[in-house]
Amino acid sequence: MATLKEVADSAGVSMLTAFQALSQHDAVDEVTRRCVQEAADNLNYTLKITQIDIADLAGVAKGTVSYALNNSELIKPTTRQKVLEAAQILGYHLNISARNLRMNRTGVVGYSWHVADDPSRMNNLLDRFIYRVTMAAEERSFHLLTFVQPQKNADRVYESLISTSRVDGFIISDVTYNDPRIARLTAMRAPFAAFGGMYLENADFAYVDVDGKKGIRLVMDHLLEQGHERIGLLGWPSGWPFGDAREASYREAMRDAGIHIENGWIAHTPNILDSAAMAAQQIMNSKYPPTALVCANDLMAFGAKSYLDSVNLRIPDDVALTGYDDDPTAQFLGITSVHQPIDELAEALFEILLGDINQEPLPNRQIIFNPELVIRRSTR
Amino acid sequence: MATLKEVADSAGVSMLTAFQALSQHDAVDEVTRRCVQEAADNLNYTLKITQIDIADLAGVAKGTVSYALNNSELIKPTTRQKVLEAAQILGYHLNISARNLRMNRTGVVGYSWHVADDPSRMNNLLDRFIYRVTMAAEERSFHLLTFVQPQKNADRVYESLISTSRVDGFIISDVTYNDPRIARLTAMRAPFAAFGGMYLENADFAYVDVDGKKGIRLVMDHLLEQGHERIGLLGWPSGWPFGDAREASYREAMRDAGIHIENGWIAHTPNILDSAAMAAQQIMNSKYPPTALVCANDLMAFGAKSYLDSVNLRIPDDVALTGYDDDPTAQFLGITSVHQPIDELAEALFEILLGDINQEPLPNRQIIFNPELVIRRSTR
DNA sequence: TGATTTTTTTGAGACGTCTCAAAAATAGTG
DNA sequence: CACTATTTTTGAGACGTCTCAAAAAAATCA
């Protein structure tokens, strides 16, 4: 296809006039517009400003335009200025696809929605996490592509996205033991960084994490300090590193305090309000009902609280209650919880990923943050 | 750079051998591997399978490969088969950037996170909505790019994404009156489709919506039928089409029922649990306390319920309570709510957008869905 | 001044795909 | 069989960018 300059020459007008004519600018009279339009039609041209047009207008070579627009040190300031002005006048916008093809990178990282078909889709923590990751990415001129991963063969989707050059790397959450995605990406040498991993064995990939054991330990110490001895745990089914670490920490704390965990003090349920409420009931109906209930996260605590309220068990007088994640619900309901520094974590995670993408890996590719206990009226 | 065939020829081996050697395949002995590697180095070649390599291996022209891979009718089945096999052998993956450049499209649509810095970030409805949009997109070989929009000049971000060819179009939610994003995108003739718009005047853009007035009408009719006359409304600050429509519908229903709305029956608060609880208190302390409380959504209803529980007002005996959106919280708490067919809506929305992107607009670019009342124990 | 070094600009070429017009192969017809 | 009509394949070229080696311009030095 022709360039704007060729159209202008063919119509016998200046580039600027041609540009204005084709972009329906008022400054051009109808006759000229028609004439330019005809020239464009003859050359089969449709208006689309490229670096070549800028070069033509500024009177430099196209290579110069590229350098100038990318603030290369090579270019003389006055030349750069000239180019920038021409770009401004023509309303130039870089074509990302062309750059991507040339540079073999995309400026996009992928993130998959938390496990598909989670019925409640209530994970405020991850929502906030990915929101902050997006912000971190955009501050560094990257974008986030969100996709859905199937339950089976999720790793194929990852493979396809990276090998078609759709993304430069991935942010991964909900890491499991022997996660096939991690195996696949590692094998392909594809850049990725995970949220979670410190309690996986041999986790030699990039990750950030918040020490979940430490978080539960804060909760336990707090409760033990208050004199609680019968402490129950409302956790998730085992098999997920996050939940297993929390349960392990609970057990350790009980052992260290010399307290035997009675039958029925521990219940496992999926991350659903109803299930949590039922499990709470089960725990409270055990032979030695706990005086404190530690929940795997705030959603579970919310479910438990509803049950306790419904049977007029007072919080914290009859039963103390704790959650985890410090989400808005816990704040509102006054439930003691554990805060995780999601914002800093997201930022750090993206920095690590970016290092890997640019083949300049950061020295420290595994960062662990400390959780923080937030005491509210559910435990005092 | 060279092609795989050139490397193979230079090393004096078959393409397949060269391929296996360069991809560290076991089937190739060390000597051959070295030899091929050296040839590759001399030609400055790094392994990256393209359609040209497939063409070389299958013994056809590169154009044929492209047609075959895209299932063009032009190609003879046997030829297609040959090409597909070669692609399979070499582990070919399409390069998206190259296709995007050539076809001037990206297969990506943009969606901005709901208004930035919403403190609670609790909008389960939109979370589910965008999740389903992603699924709809992927079923049609599209992807979703999520980005953050600033409070000021959000339209610039949209402009930049579309004019740099980063995306082909947008999904928009949280539409406001005189939305600058819509003005901008319309002016640029950029494809977009919105969630919401039926109660905007002159909304001549593509959208899907759920009739919010009808939804509240369902709630009101249900309450009136039960004999309630003193009905309060817990709504959002005016200025947002969704909320305004709901309030207008409440007022209409009251007027139609011949009930005067007393002072203090209507409260407006931001979408935050605490605020909702406080507003509920305010309404219940008005001169003629309502016997039923209609809330703008389930989050507000949750806030209100907490207040009612805290002062031992029984639901529904003392006060009936309704929400909107039918989210998991309402389900759990037994709050009567209004269900919106998010899944179908997301699907329809994407279809419309796709039509616009492909320049084959659907005949019906504005679709309105019906809400559905879900009666629970908070109103019976 | 002329020669040399340094700075700045140039123009070609490659990235991998799709698509067009033209060429080649095949099938159909009298 | 020769000719035409149809199907299939070919190969070139364009999409818009970045970057390299080479050329030109400017600055420095003797």
Side-chain angles (χ1 to χ4, degrees):
Chain A
M1 196 199 290
T3 66
L4 180 59
K5 184 165 172 24
E6 287 165 21
V7 172
D9 288 353
S10 151
V13 300
S14 73
M15 271 188 75
L16 217 54
T17 306
F19 171 67
Q20 294 177 339
L22 290 174
S23 51
Q24 316 292 333
H25 197 284
D26 293 336
V28 179
D29 65 285
E30 189 59 23
V31 179
T32 313
R33 216 188 56 66
R34 284 256 177 73
C35 169
V36 172
Q37 186 65 57
E38 198 177 320
D41 289 347
N42 283 341
L43 292 165
N44 193 24
Y45 177 84
T46 50
L47 186 63
K48 183 157 202 191
I49 299 302
T50 74
Q51 295 183 354
I52 296 178
D53 298 319
I54 299 180
D56 287 343
L57 183 61
V60 299
K62 67 173 176 158
T64 307
V65 173
S66 178
Y67 284 126
L69 292 175
N70 288 302
N71 290 313
S72 161
E73 295 292 333
L74 288 175
I75 300 299
K76 201 164 60 171
T78 56
T79 309
R80 184 201 316 289
Q81 194 55 35
K82 233 177 11 179
V83 170
L84 259 39
E85 267 165 28
Q88 171 76 37
I89 290 171
L90 297 177
Y92 170 76
H93 287 281
L94 174 75
N95 182 312
I96 292 277
S97 297
R99 165 181 285 177
N100 290 351
L101 173 60
R102 178 62 226 261
M103 303 190 64
N104 196 28
R105 45 91 87 187
T106 66
V108 175
V109 302
Y111 174 78
S112 165
W113 288 99
H114 352 130
V115 183
D117 286 330
D118 171 354
S120 59
R121 281 270 313 107
M122 281 183 73
N123 196 322
N124 292 314
L125 186 81
L126 282 181
D127 283 347
R128 177 162 189 100
F129 165 71
I130 200 54
Y131 179 72
R132 298 304 297 213
V133 168
T134 309
M135 289 183 68
E138 290 180 5
E139 278 162 19
R140 292 159 183 80
S141 301
F142 266 70
H143 286 281
L144 198 80
L145 186 104
T146 44
F147 60 98
V148 175
Q149 56 178 327
Q151 290 93 321
K152 296 259 171 210
N153 300 118
D155 54 323
R156 294 239 188 99
V157 177
Y158 285 79
E159 180 190 14
S160 155
L161 283 169
I162 197 91
S163 58
T164 58
S165 294
R166 182 65 93 178
V167 302
D168 292 333
F170 294 98
I171 298 285
I172 290 187
S173 64
D174 297 300
V175 176
T176 61
Y177 302 109
N178 302 316
D179 198 312
R181 301 171 301 170
I182 288 181
R184 170 71 61 118
L185 293 175
T186 304
M188 298 180 68
R189 295 163 196 273
F192 70 96
F195 175 16
M198 74 176 288
Y199 289 117
L200 292 178
E201 284 174 28
N202 306 324
D204 58 349
F205 53 85
Y207 68 77
V208 298
D209 206 345
V210 182
D211 191 334
K213 287 182 120 174
K214 197 179 269 179
I216 289 295
R217 191 60 179 237
L218 289 173
V219 168
M220 294 298 291
D221 287 349
H222 172 59
L223 292 171
L224 291 164
E225 212 168 84
Q226 295 194 317
H228 289 284
E229 296 198 335
R230 297 192 196 167
I231 303 177
L233 177 75
L234 192 45
W236 297 308
S238 70
W240 292 85
F242 274 109
D244 292 352
R246 290 178 196 180
E247 177 163 344
S249 178
Y250 159 83
R251 288 180 186 275
E252 278 169 26
M254 291 295 265
R255 197 192 53 218
D256 292 352
I259 305 173
H260 176 67
I261 300 174
E262 299 291 341
N263 258 346
W265 282 6
I266 298 182
H268 297 110
T269 83
N271 193 41
I272 298 173
L273 288 165
D274 273 310
S275 314
M278 279 164 52
Q281 174 174 28
Q282 214 174 298
I283 293 177
M284 297 311 297
N285 286 341
S286 66
K287 195 167 174 191
Y288 307 101
T291 62
L293 209 47
V294 172
C295 301
N297 71 358
D298 290 333
L299 184 138
M300 305 273 273
F302 175 24
K305 178 179 190 303
S306 285
Y307 166 71
L308 298 174
D309 287 347
S310 74
V311 294
N312 290 315
L313 281 168
R314 287 165 306 162
I315 302 171
D317 302 340
D318 299 326
V319 188
L321 184 68
T322 70
Y324 205 107
D325 285 351
D326 189 30
D327 76 17
T329 310
Q331 285 167 32
F332 176 64
L333 296 174
I335 297 173
T336 291
S337 191
V338 177
H339 180 78
Q340 312 194 60
I342 291 298
D343 298 3
E344 298 90 310
L345 180 148
E347 190 96 6
L349 186 60
F350 196 82
E351 281 288 0
I352 293 173
L353 177 60
L354 197 56
D356 283 10
I357 288 176
N358 291 336
Q359 314 239 41
E360 297 164 356
L362 264 48
N364 190 359
R365 293 168 66 248
Q366 301 186 332
I367 301 181
I368 293 166
F369 288 84
N370 279 318
E372 210 172 286
L373 185 66
V374 182
I375 300 174
R376 300 207 176 88
R377 58 180 192 273
S378 75
T379 59
R380 69 178 164 209
Chain B
M1 198 198 293
T3 67
L4 180 58
K5 183 162 175 16
E6 288 166 22
V7 172
D9 288 353
S10 153
V13 300
S14 73
M15 270 189 76
L16 217 52
T17 308
F19 172 68
Q20 293 176 339
L22 290 175
S23 51
Q24 316 292 334
H25 198 283
D26 292 336
V28 179
D29 65 284
E30 188 58 27
V31 179
T32 313
R33 215 187 56 66
R34 283 258 178 71
C35 169
V36 172
Q37 186 64 58
E38 197 178 322
D41 289 347
N42 284 339
L43 291 165
N44 193 22
Y45 177 85
T46 50
L47 186 62
K48 182 154 202 191
I49 301 301
T50 73
Q51 295 184 353
I52 296 179
D53 298 318
I54 300 180
D56 287 343
L57 184 63
V60 299
K62 66 172 177 160
T64 307
V65 174
S66 177
Y67 283 127
L69 292 175
N70 289 301
N71 291 314
S72 161
E73 296 291 334
L74 288 175
I75 300 298
K76 200 162 61 169
T78 57
T79 309
R80 183 201 317 287
Q81 194 56 34
K82 236 179 4 182
V83 170
L84 258 38
E85 269 164 27
Q88 171 79 35
I89 291 171
L90 297 177
Y92 170 75
H93 286 282
L94 174 74
N95 182 312
I96 293 277
S97 297
R99 167 182 282 178
N100 290 350
L101 174 61
R102 179 58 227 259
M103 302 188 67
N104 195 27
R105 45 92 85 186
T106 66
V108 175
V109 302
Y111 174 77
S112 166
W113 288 100
H114 354 129
V115 184
D117 287 327
D118 172 351
S120 57
R121 279 271 313 107
M122 283 182 72
N123 196 324
N124 292 313
L125 186 81
L126 283 181
D127 283 347
R128 179 163 187 99
F129 165 71
I130 200 56
Y131 179 73
R132 299 303 299 213
V133 168
T134 309
M135 290 184 66
E138 289 179 5
E139 279 163 18
R140 293 159 183 81
S141 300
F142 266 70
H143 286 282
L144 198 79
L145 186 100
T146 43
F147 60 98
V148 175
Q149 55 179 327
Q151 292 93 322
K152 295 264 168 202
N153 301 118
D155 54 324
R156 294 239 189 100
V157 177
Y158 285 79
E159 180 190 12
S160 157
L161 284 168
I162 196 90
S163 58
T164 58
S165 295
R166 181 65 93 179
V167 302
D168 291 335
F170 295 97
I171 298 284
I172 289 186
S173 65
D174 297 301
V175 176
T176 60
Y177 301 110
N178 302 314
D179 198 311
R181 301 171 301 171
I182 289 182
R184 170 73 62 123
L185 292 175
T186 304
M188 297 179 68
R189 295 165 197 274
F192 71 97
F195 175 16
M198 76 175 286
Y199 288 118
L200 292 178
E201 283 175 26
N202 307 321
D204 57 350
F205 53 84
Y207 69 78
V208 299
D209 206 344
V210 183
D211 192 333
K213 286 182 118 172
K214 197 180 270 179
I216 288 295
R217 191 59 180 237
L218 290 172
V219 167
M220 293 299 291
D221 287 350
H222 171 59
L223 292 172
L224 291 164
E225 212 168 83
Q226 293 193 317
H228 289 284
E229 295 197 336
R230 296 194 201 167
I231 304 176
L233 177 75
L234 192 44
W236 297 306
S238 71
W240 292 85
F242 275 108
D244 292 351
R246 290 178 197 180
E247 177 164 342
S249 178
Y250 159 83
R251 289 179 186 276
E252 279 169 24
M254 291 294 264
R255 198 194 50 219
D256 292 353
I259 303 173
H260 176 66
I261 301 173
E262 298 292 339
N263 257 345
W265 282 5
I266 299 182
H268 297 107
T269 85
N271 194 41
I272 297 174
L273 288 166
D274 273 310
S275 312
M278 279 165 51
Q281 174 174 27
Q282 213 175 300
I283 294 177
M284 296 312 295
N285 286 341
S286 64
K287 195 167 174 188
Y288 307 101
T291 62
L293 210 45
V294 172
C295 301
N297 73 355
D298 289 334
L299 184 139
M300 305 274 273
F302 175 23
K305 177 178 190 304
S306 285
Y307 166 73
L308 297 174
D309 287 348
S310 74
V311 295
N312 290 314
L313 281 169
R314 288 164 308 161
I315 301 172
D317 303 341
D318 298 326
V319 186
L321 184 67
T322 69
Y324 205 107
D325 285 351
D326 191 30
D327 75 18
T329 310
Q331 284 168 33
F332 176 63
L333 296 175
I335 297 174
T336 291
S337 192
V338 177
H339 181 78
Q340 311 193 61
I342 291 297
D343 298 4
E344 299 91 309
L345 179 148
E347 191 96 5
L349 186 60
F350 195 83
E351 280 288 2
I352 293 174
L353 177 60
L354 197 56
D356 282 10
I357 287 175
N358 291 336
Q359 313 239 41
E360 296 165 357
L362 266 50
N364 190 358
R365 293 167 67 248
Q366 302 185 332
I367 301 182
I368 292 166
F369 288 84
N370 280 319
E372 211 173 285
L373 185 66
V374 183
I375 299 173
R376 301 209 174 87
R377 57 180 192 276
S378 75
T379 58
R380 68 178 163 214

